[in-house]
Short mmCIF file of all heavy atoms in Angstrom, two decimals:
data_model
loop_
_atom_site.label_atom_id
_atom_site.label_comp_id
_atom_site.label_asym_id
_atom_site.label_seq_id
_atom_site.Cartn_x
_atom_site.Cartn_y
_atom_site.Cartn_z
N CYS A 30 54.37 3.69 -150.30
CA CYS A 30 55.02 2.39 -150.11
C CYS A 30 55.57 2.27 -148.69
O CYS A 30 55.49 1.21 -148.08
CB CYS A 30 56.14 2.23 -151.14
SG CYS A 30 56.90 0.61 -151.10
N PRO A 50 53.50 -18.04 -127.46
CA PRO A 50 53.22 -18.55 -126.11
C PRO A 50 53.03 -17.40 -125.13
O PRO A 50 53.46 -16.27 -125.38
CB PRO A 50 54.48 -19.35 -125.77
CG PRO A 50 55.15 -19.61 -127.07
CD PRO A 50 54.75 -18.52 -127.99
N PHE A 68 72.06 -2.93 -141.57
CA PHE A 68 72.88 -4.01 -142.13
C PHE A 68 73.22 -3.72 -143.59
O PHE A 68 74.36 -3.93 -144.01
CB PHE A 68 72.13 -5.35 -142.02
CG PHE A 68 72.89 -6.49 -142.62
CD1 PHE A 68 73.99 -7.02 -141.98
CD2 PHE A 68 72.50 -7.03 -143.84
CE1 PHE A 68 74.69 -8.07 -142.53
CE2 PHE A 68 73.20 -8.08 -144.40
CZ PHE A 68 74.30 -8.60 -143.74
N THR A 72 77.07 -3.14 -144.86
CA THR A 72 77.60 -4.00 -145.91
C THR A 72 78.03 -3.18 -147.11
O THR A 72 79.09 -3.44 -147.70
CB THR A 72 76.54 -5.04 -146.32
OG1 THR A 72 76.12 -5.76 -145.17
CG2 THR A 72 77.09 -6.00 -147.33
N ASN A 98 105.82 -1.48 -167.73
CA ASN A 98 106.45 -0.35 -167.06
C ASN A 98 105.75 -0.15 -165.70
O ASN A 98 104.62 0.30 -165.63
CB ASN A 98 106.30 0.92 -167.92
CG ASN A 98 107.14 2.06 -167.41
OD1 ASN A 98 107.65 2.02 -166.30
ND2 ASN A 98 107.28 3.08 -168.24
N ALA A 105 99.41 5.56 -163.18
CA ALA A 105 98.03 5.34 -163.63
C ALA A 105 97.13 4.98 -162.45
O ALA A 105 96.01 5.50 -162.33
CB ALA A 105 97.99 4.24 -164.69
N ILE A 117 84.02 10.58 -154.84
CA ILE A 117 83.49 10.34 -153.49
C ILE A 117 83.39 11.65 -152.72
O ILE A 117 82.38 11.91 -152.04
CB ILE A 117 84.37 9.32 -152.73
CG1 ILE A 117 84.24 7.94 -153.37
CG2 ILE A 117 83.99 9.25 -151.26
CD1 ILE A 117 85.20 6.90 -152.82
N ALA A 118 84.40 12.51 -152.83
CA ALA A 118 84.36 13.80 -152.13
C ALA A 118 83.23 14.68 -152.67
O ALA A 118 82.55 15.37 -151.90
CB ALA A 118 85.70 14.52 -152.30
N VAL A 133 77.12 1.78 -156.84
CA VAL A 133 77.23 1.39 -158.25
C VAL A 133 78.00 2.47 -159.03
O VAL A 133 78.85 2.15 -159.88
CB VAL A 133 75.83 1.15 -158.86
CG1 VAL A 133 75.89 1.00 -160.36
CG2 VAL A 133 75.19 -0.08 -158.23
N ILE A 139 85.37 3.67 -161.33
CA ILE A 139 86.64 2.92 -161.37
C ILE A 139 86.86 2.36 -162.78
O ILE A 139 87.95 2.48 -163.34
CB ILE A 139 86.65 1.79 -160.33
CG1 ILE A 139 86.69 2.37 -158.93
CG2 ILE A 139 87.84 0.87 -160.53
CD1 ILE A 139 86.47 1.34 -157.86
#
Side-chain angles (χ1 to χ4, degrees):
C30 186
F68 178 74
T72 305
N98 191 346
I117 292 173
V133 170
I139 292 171

